[in-house]
Every structure is written in structure tokens, then in C-alpha cells.
Amino acid sequence: MDCLIAGVPEPDAGQQLAFLRQLQRLFQEGDFTSTYKYALLLALAELAIECDAPAGAALMLPMERIAGKFAEFYWLQSLPYSSDAAGNRGDVLLQNTDRQVAVIRHLTTLRSLGVSTLSQARQHPNWQRTLRAIATHVRKMPVQRLQNLSGNPVIFLFDPAAVGNTLTLLPGVAFQLRRFQGFIQQLVRAGWVNYIRSNRQNAALVGQGADLEAFLFGSPRAVLTQVKQLLAPLQSQRCFFCQQGLHDNAAVDHFIPWSRYPRDTALNFVLAHAACNTSKSDLLAGGAHLERWLERNAREGATIAGQLQHAGFVSEPDVATRVAAWAYREGVSAGVRVWHGRGQTALISADLMRVFG
Ligand SMILES: [Zn+2]
């Protein structure tokens, strides 16, 4: 099912400030007894971009899409974690203060049927049943509790009583989630990592593990090696940006910078010189690069997505373009500088949005 929309004007500065205050209260006063609320907030924030409703609109999200996001977030987390460099087998981290959350149990059941990647899980005959079961838990638990602040309901994202097979973000909420995306992602991740770390039952597993955040959200280095091996021949061993030859100095670059959208999606990767990558840093790339990237995805997108799906990356074809359209629209609205090449930046131009049609 697609996301349905209904238009009203975009929230003004006062409403945006009020939204940020509510969000701040949610993190300070919300009672986090499991990691579900973080997952729900992250799911809503990402779907607000992927569904791309017009500014100010209400946005109706099918619960199964939200459940799909939960499956995606918890899939790698349903593997045993071990901070022990000596190779201790480890165990699955507890995402709750008492017994393990149901989402992890459902995913573990799929794993026990011989499923080892998310793309295999999506093809499995039990997948739809698993999604429906996850949707039921999400509807009963975090949907009802997310907006309880200091014990009182403060309804500013969606009306929990109205959630059935769909969850409707109130008018303007999708706009706010898009506008404050990077900020929300950082808050959620920090909260989630802190929850896992401070859950006493995880203490023995977590130890001093410095790679906990990478385990929960990041891409293992081995997987980035796979990205390199796939992209190098597709780019004819040339840097995506300056088109000069790559030798051993290739770096995997997030075309839409990680600082703006801290999620690895398959089509967001390009291969570049380490020096080009460092120079671009957290800037958006200029119009010529953007056009080349869109062309590459139109031409090679299915190959890249297909290959990297097996490595565990999200690879719905439209998602990368929607994320990019959102990031550039925000860039135009904020009047940022874009990166053209090493040491060359310029003010972003609104004309650039034409490439998104
Ligand atoms: Zn280069």
C-alpha cells in the first residue's frame, strides 16, 4: 500500500520550535523501558522521507511498512554481539528490562529456519506473517506509549487511539520529521546505544566494547569491502567525482553525506579518492555530480541494489532518489554551499532541483 496524503500549509517557524520542544521533552521525560520507542521514532522519521508527502500534509503510513522498518533495524541486532576481541561467541543483546522484545524473537525464529540475510527473509513464506505479528506488537506497545511524557499523553505526532492498519502522522509532522532528520537520527541512536549499555543484563556482553554503535547501526568493514569490489569495475576504476584513476586510495563515499542522513542505503555509495572523499566531507555534491549519480542509478541501480541487498543494505530503488531530493531541497532552503571538487565550493542553486523532475 502506498502512503496517502492530504495537503495543508507548511508549519511556520513558531510551530517548528514548538515541535522541537515536544521532541526534547519526549527524550527527557519519556519512559524508555525497551528500545521500541527509539525504533518507532526512527521508522516514522525515515518513512516521512521515503513517502515524501507535500509540506504540511498529514501522512498515512501502513502499519506493515512500519513493521518492515522494525525488521530492518532489529535484523542485525538479532545476531549475537561480543565485545571480546578474542572471539567469544557472545549473545543477543537484551532490548528490554525483562525478557527479550518480541520483534527479536520473531526474527530469531526466521533465522532458525535457515534465513541469514534480510533479503532472504523478505522472500521467505513466513515473511508476511512475521510482519503482521511485528505490526501487532508495535501497535500495542510503542504506538500507545511513545507520547506519554511524565505519565501524561502529549499528542503531537499521531493519535494513538486512531491507529489500526495505518498510522496517520498529524498535518505538518512529516514535514518536521524531514526537516530535523539528522538531529532525530542522532538523538535516537545515542539514546538506543545508551539504553543497551546501561541495561545491567547486558553488562557482561557489552563490557568496554567500543564498537557497540557500529554493531547496532553501522556497516561492518568487511561489508564496505564488498561495496568497493562491486563499484570499482562499474566505475572503470575511476573516482566518481574527479574521474581520475583509483589505485589503492579508494574510499567508499556516502553521496548524500552521512551527517545529513546517517543510514547506509545501497545506491548512496560511490567510490572516490580518499582525498576527494575527505575534501567533500559533509557537503552535498554539486549539480554535475548529482546528475551523474542519478544517471548511474538509472543505469546500474538494479545491479548495485541486487548485489548489496545480499550484503544487508536497504535497496528499494526509489528510496535513494527520494532521500536525495529531500536533502537537496533542505540544502536549498538553508542556503548551504555545495562541493564541486577538491577545494571548490559554491552556494547551492535552486535550479538544481530540476533534475528531480
Ligand atoms: Zn577523485
Side-chain angles (χ1 to χ4, degrees):
M1 202 196 303
D2 273 343
C3 318
L4 305 178
I5 48 182
V8 281
E10 128 181 351
D12 62 25
Q15 288 166 318
Q16 293 183 35
L17 189 59
F19 180 86
L20 281 179
R21 288 215 176 101
Q22 302 285 43
L23 203 60
Q24 188 179 26
R25 285 193 62 196
L26 192 151
F27 281 97
Q28 287 172 343
E29 302 172 37
D31 182 18
F32 290 85
T33 55
S34 79
T35 55
Y36 272 174
K37 287 185 181 179
Y38 296 119
L40 179 58
L41 206 51
L42 206 54
L44 299 180
E46 294 190 1
L47 289 171
I49 288 181
E50 292 171 20
C51 293
D52 202 22
L59 179 63
M60 203 184 272
L61 300 168
M63 279 307 294
E64 285 191 14
R65 282 203 67 169
I66 296 175
K69 281 282 173 195
F70 270 67
E72 208 181 279
F73 300 150
Y74 284 102
W75 180 254
L76 288 175
Q77 304 194 11
S78 67
L79 284 171
Y81 171 78
S82 170
S83 61
D84 184 354
N88 179 333
R89 239 183 109 251
D91 204 346
V92 178
L93 293 164
L94 260 190
Q95 307 269 349
N96 201 339
T97 40
D98 79 62
R99 66 196 288 243
Q100 184 59 282
V101 292
V103 173
I104 295 266
R105 285 188 274 124
H106 287 296
L107 297 177
T108 308
T109 303
L110 272 181
R111 285 188 184 279
S112 72
L113 298 173
V115 174
S116 58
T117 70
L118 193 55
S119 64
Q120 287 169 357
R122 288 181 173 136
Q123 311 292 324
H124 196 275
N126 291 2
W127 178 244
Q128 288 303 326
R129 196 188 314 158
T130 303
L131 277 192
R132 282 194 296 276
I134 292 176
T136 302
H137 291 292
V138 174
R139 192 160 43 228
K140 276 194 206 150
M141 312 274 287
V143 160
Q144 301 306 322
R145 296 179 189 170
L146 179 64
Q147 297 168 97
N148 282 351
L149 308 183
S150 302
N152 297 308
V154 178
I155 305 303
F156 72 107
L157 298 169
F158 55 85
D159 176 4
V163 175
N165 291 329
T166 57
L167 178 156
T168 303
L169 293 177
L170 298 172
V173 169
F175 170 91
Q176 312 259 28
L177 293 175
R178 287 198 292 270
R179 171 129 303 173
F180 303 117
Q181 181 73 211
F183 177 66
I184 293 169
Q185 292 244 8
Q186 301 293 354
L187 282 176
V188 166
R189 279 159 192 245
W192 196 324
V193 171
N194 189 45
Y195 179 91
I196 296 286
R197 216 180 260 291
S198 56
N199 185 339
R200 272 197 272 164
Q201 298 178 83
N202 289 328
L205 285 175
V206 172
Q208 296 304 309
D211 61 343
L212 181 62
E213 183 165 7
F215 172 79
L216 295 176
F217 305 106
S219 306
R221 290 201 175 278
V223 174
L224 287 182
T225 306
Q226 264 178 276
V227 175
K228 270 189 202 178
Q229 285 166 350
L230 171 69
L231 291 182
L234 286 181
Q235 292 183 199
S236 310
Q237 314 287 341
R238 290 178 184 280
C239 171
F240 182 82
F241 296 109
C242 71
Q243 308 290 312
Q244 300 300 307
L246 286 169
H247 302 287
D248 326 336
N249 52 0
V252 174
D253 180 76
H254 292 89
F255 187 78
I256 300 301
W258 178 263
S259 59
R260 288 176 182 269
Y261 191 71
R263 287 272 282 147
D264 282 333
T265 54
L267 300 184
N268 195 36
F269 293 124
V270 296
L271 211 54
H273 289 120
C276 287
N277 173 257
T278 306
S279 166
K280 175 170 168 273
S281 180
D282 53 7
L283 296 177
L284 291 169
H289 299 308
L290 174 61
E291 283 184 43
R292 196 176 329 111
W293 179 75
L294 289 169
E295 280 164 22
R296 181 207 66 176
N297 288 349
R299 203 175 53 238
E300 320 269 14
T303 309
I304 299 173
Q307 299 270 334
L308 293 185
Q309 201 174 20
H310 297 293
F313 292 108
V314 183
S315 51
E316 288 163 57
D318 299 343
V319 169
T321 308
R322 288 194 191 145
V323 168
W326 157 78
Y328 278 89
R329 200 181 314 122
E330 290 295 314
V332 168
S333 147
V336 299
R337 295 188 77 78
V338 290
W339 181 86
H340 290 294
R342 289 187 212 174
Q344 302 164 40
T345 67
L347 203 59
I348 194 167
S349 150
D351 284 351
L352 196 143
M353 291 309 294
R354 280 189 305 200
V355 301
F356 293 105

